[in-house]
Amino acid sequence: MASVIQTNEKQIVSYNPATGDEIGRVQQTSDNDVRAAVARSRDAFHMWKTTSFAQRRALVMKARVVILNELDEIAHLISAESGKPFGEAIAMEIAPVLDLMQHFAKKAERLLKPRRVNIGLYATMGRYSKIVYHPLGVVGIIPAWNYPFSIPLGETVMALMAGNSVVIKPSELTPVVGEKIGDIFEKAGAPANLVQVITGDGRTGAALVDAAPDKIMFTGSVATGKKIAAAASKNLTSVVLELGGKDPMIVFDDANLQLAASAAVWGAFCNSGQSCSSVERLYVQEGAAKQLTKLIVEKTRELKQGAGDAEDISIGAMSSERQLRMVEDHVEDFRRAGAKIEIGGKVLSTGLSRKPPEGGIQNLFYEPTVITGATNEMRAMREETFGPTLPIATFKTEDEAIRLANDSEFGLTASVWTRDYEKGRRVAEQIEAGSVCVNEVLYTHGIGQTPWGGFKNSGRGRTHGAEGLMELVQPQHIHINRFAILPDAWWLPYSPEAVKTFRGFATKFASGSLLRTATLMPQLFRRIRELLKK
Ligand code: TXE
């Protein structure tokens, strides 16, 4: 990979993918050190789980202050190590995670409050049930490089608010941003070993899974997700998997086409298309295809591309040579299959000088590329591209649009564009994806209050929202009998009287009807009397 070079077995050097400048060096953590980190984390957990929500909130809010004090410095680091524009690092990583932090700092206590459960007719027997939520223990976080700050930090905050300790293994492409997260918690005064960052490549990630944390939160490819799920099963470690996407955008001919075109350009090209929820396929109704394509091409032409630290840059470098090669391969596939490249379709040729790491290519800027005449039969319409490409296909009817959108192994997000909200809602509910927007695109990962996760091969489990918080706790059912003076009718020994009562339970009590259950009372008393005599 070009933006990271392993100088030896023990060290990783991180480079700026736009300039080739070295960002920093981190160690390749050994398996023994990973195990030791997890053991230290477990000790930290035993202390942290006894803290109050107020104490946890105080730590998270202090970490927010550290981030706000260093906002520009952090944004420049994210931009330098991942290639994304500086402004985008603030808009799409720092701002959303600051919002997530305040939300869970303030709301986790209420979301995890013990709650009574309606136990139906059992309550008439003087019992009640409540659920209390316990933390899990050590949470291992293995993120990808595309949102190297907001994804692991958001998951860390949620895990801490639930009472867990955390070990983060950042991507080998963005290890310095990963270390920054550890630094933020240190500056915020976090107890020792509560948040640890262990750097390294996939081997370090595998060692973390093997060290049997109590939960793995993974973001990355389907292939690695499967490996992690298999390895985690050895210890019955549960995993949340945030995997790939091939997210469709459906534009009906009654949509606001100006808005839809701008949304498509942002949804496909922000972060150089390296978002799991990027628009990877656009389906437009035939009547609007010409106009929408024209608008998209015009808007694409206006985008300025270059090193991400300048404020007027919209499209930065891709994060790695491997990712750029994948885009080249997919664009070539579109060409070969007869689709038309309307704009872009190649590595940017002008003005950008990068000192390529040994063996690396000259530049990692791929032009934002709009393609028409795409069909679902083309390979590049089926595999995740993860790059700045926007292939456009057409449809005739609502049913056809839904069928084309669902014709994928993935199901992370989707968007539907129409002025008819009823149609938008109807179509949205038929799309097989974890989040579907009507007249919006891509950004809902930024709403930490809402669940995030995929259908089909896009993942398992949820991050964010109340559902995501529930992934980080184990519910305990407490059942109390406040009328503990009589035996239960179903206790031993059994007898013909007992069997008669059980039949009554099946036919009356289990109906859920108080009236029908009342007719069981004489039989119930006979059975209880029988038990009391024994
Ligand atoms: O992901 P990997 P990569 C897709 C995208 C991209 C492809 C590969 O299509 O081209 O995945 O990206 C760690 N046990 N997405 O190579 O390999 C690894 O060190 C434990 C989509 O970055 O899945 C890194 O920290 N950990 C996705 C993390 O897993 C292991 C975002 C992700 O690496 C491991 C990123 C192992 N055996 C890529 N092997 C999205 N949709 O958001 C590797 N890792």
Side-chain angles (χ1 to χ4, degrees):
M1 264 174 271
S3 72
V4 166
I5 285 200
Q6 212 110 331
T7 49
N8 60 48
E9 273 301 289
K10 298 221 167 96
Q11 215 179 39
I12 291 174
V13 183
S14 173
Y15 291 97
N16 180 325
T19 63
D21 293 334
E22 183 177 322
I23 306 255
R25 289 169 188 241
V26 300
Q27 65 159 331
Q28 169 74 35
T29 311
S30 71
D31 292 8
N32 276 344
D33 287 348
V34 172
R35 272 193 294 276
V38 170
R40 285 195 302 272
S41 190
R42 207 167 289 291
D43 290 341
F45 163 66
H46 288 302
M47 175 279 301
W48 187 249
K49 72 177 178 188
T50 65
T51 54
S52 65
F53 280 102
Q55 287 168 299
R56 297 174 197 170
R57 181 184 312 129
L59 174 65
V60 170
M61 294 309 275
K62 272 192 207 144
R64 280 186 92 254
V65 173
V66 175
I67 296 169
L68 284 167
N69 287 342
E70 299 180 18
L71 190 118
D72 275 30
E73 185 193 309
I74 295 171
H76 275 300
L77 173 62
I78 297 169
S79 165
E81 200 172 39
S82 68
K84 71 181 67 183
F86 164 73
E88 202 171 274
I90 300 177
M92 292 187 71
E93 295 226 51
I94 300 178
V97 82
L98 285 172
D99 185 44
L100 178 149
M101 289 170 89
Q102 65 78 23
H103 170 71
F104 283 102
K106 292 176 192 159
K107 299 287 160 48
E109 181 169 12
R110 213 185 68 205
L111 291 167
L112 296 176
K113 211 167 106 183
R115 63 182 177 87
R116 282 283 285 270
V117 178
N118 181 349
I119 55 172
L121 292 179
Y122 288 99
T124 62
M125 296 189 241
R127 292 125 210 261
Y128 78 92
S129 281
K130 69 173 194 172
I131 307 293
V132 292
Y133 296 101
H134 293 271
L136 295 171
V138 179
V139 175
I141 299 177
I142 306 179
W145 39 266
N146 55 339
Y147 289 90
F149 189 69
S150 58
I151 290 181
L153 177 54
E155 290 173 352
T156 298
V157 165
M158 291 177 68
L160 294 180
M161 286 309 301
N164 302 288
S165 59
V166 168
V167 179
I168 305 170
K169 203 299 284 176
S171 165
E172 56 273 41
L173 287 172
T174 49
V176 181
V177 173
E179 286 193 325
K180 185 73 202 168
I181 295 173
D183 177 55
I184 288 165
F185 280 100
E186 206 178 310
K187 286 181 177 154
N193 303 318
L194 183 65
V195 178
Q196 295 177 80
V197 180
I198 50 168
T199 49
D201 58 19
R203 291 169 295 175
T204 311
L208 177 56
V209 177
D210 275 349
D214 300 282
K215 186 92 184 190
I216 295 285
M217 306 291 291
F218 171 74
T219 310
S221 59
V222 176
T224 306
K226 284 182 182 173
K227 279 191 213 158
I228 287 181
S233 71
K234 271 189 269 165
N235 298 308
L236 293 180
T237 307
S238 74
V239 292
V240 168
L241 303 172
E242 296 299 326
L243 309 175
K246 191 77 187 170
D247 297 358
M249 173 171 178
I250 297 173
V251 183
F252 286 98
D253 54 16
D254 64 348
N256 177 335
L257 294 187
Q258 273 289 351
L259 212 60
S262 298
V265 168
W266 180 70
F269 302 144
C270 68
N271 203 19
S272 284
Q274 300 167 121
S275 303
C276 45
S277 48
S278 286
V279 175
E280 292 239 348
R281 300 176 283 153
L282 191 151
Y283 299 102
V284 55
Q285 201 158 20
E286 275 178 356
K290 206 167 152 206
Q291 176 65 0
L292 185 75
T293 305
K294 182 171 160 280
L295 289 169
I296 287 175
V297 170
E298 279 167 17
K299 289 173 194 288
T300 302
R301 194 166 287 123
E302 286 164 19
L303 302 175
K304 199 163 159 194
Q305 197 165 9
D309 55 356
E311 293 191 1
D312 61 343
I313 289 299
S314 293
I315 314 281
M318 303 214 55
S319 293
S320 71
E321 186 171 331
R322 192 177 85 181
Q323 212 51 55
L324 184 128
R325 296 284 185 222
M326 193 152 0
V327 176
E328 286 183 324
D329 171 49
H330 279 194
V331 171
E332 205 33 53
D333 181 71
F334 277 124
R335 268 201 192 97
R336 266 198 308 266
K340 183 176 172 212
I341 312 297
E342 300 282 346
I343 185 169
K346 58 182 182 355
V347 171
L348 189 69
S349 51
T350 51
L352 294 157
S353 65
R354 170 171 181 260
K355 291 170 264 167
E358 212 179 311
I361 59 170
Q362 188 63 42
N363 101 48
L364 290 182
F365 293 90
Y366 198 90
E367 291 179 356
T369 300
V370 179
I371 299 153
T372 51
T375 70
N376 276 16
E377 283 62 50
M378 298 173 184
R379 178 172 62 85
M381 281 289 269
R382 313 195 70 79
E383 295 174 2
E384 186 175 39
T385 307
F386 227 55
T389 56
L390 179 55
I392 302 175
T394 57
F395 67 89
K396 287 191 174 68
T397 64
E398 187 177 318
D399 283 350
E400 189 189 5
I402 295 167
R403 185 177 55 72
L404 289 169
N406 285 340
D407 176 25
S408 170
E409 63 168 300
F410 296 110
L412 189 57
T413 79
S415 75
V416 182
W417 292 77
T418 171
R419 285 195 172 92
D420 176 347
Y421 298 112
E422 177 47 33
K423 178 167 70 179
R425 192 198 49 73
R426 184 173 68 228
V427 172
E429 288 181 10
Q430 292 177 77
I431 293 184
E432 297 156 356
S435 299
V436 186
C437 294
V438 178
N439 298 331
E440 254 311 335
V441 75
L442 187 138
Y443 86 112
T444 57
H445 188 271
I447 314 176
Q449 292 83 347
T450 60
W452 180 264
F455 287 12
K456 302 194 269 190
N457 273 355
S458 286
R460 293 291 180 273
R462 294 293 179 267
T463 59
H464 294 183
E467 293 82 355
L469 197 61
M470 288 301 155
E471 298 275 3
L472 296 159
V473 290
Q474 41 196 343
Q476 181 185 43
H477 171 202
I478 305 284
H479 184 72
I480 293 177
N481 180 0
R482 283 175 300 196
F483 194 58
I485 45 174
L486 295 175
D488 285 334
W490 51 83
W491 287 359
L492 297 172
Y494 300 144
S495 66
E497 205 67 77
V499 173
K500 238 191 260 174
T501 313
F502 300 162
R503 246 188 229 112
F505 273 135
T507 56
K508 295 179 171 134
F509 179 84
S511 72
S513 153
L514 187 60
L515 228 59
R516 296 196 65 183
T517 302
T519 65
L520 180 64
M521 284 307 156
Q523 176 58 40
L524 193 61
F525 288 138
R526 274 196 292 281
R527 168 65 177 154
I528 301 279
R529 211 175 312 123
E530 178 188 56
L531 280 171
L532 287 173
K533 279 192 206 146
K534 302 271 175 194

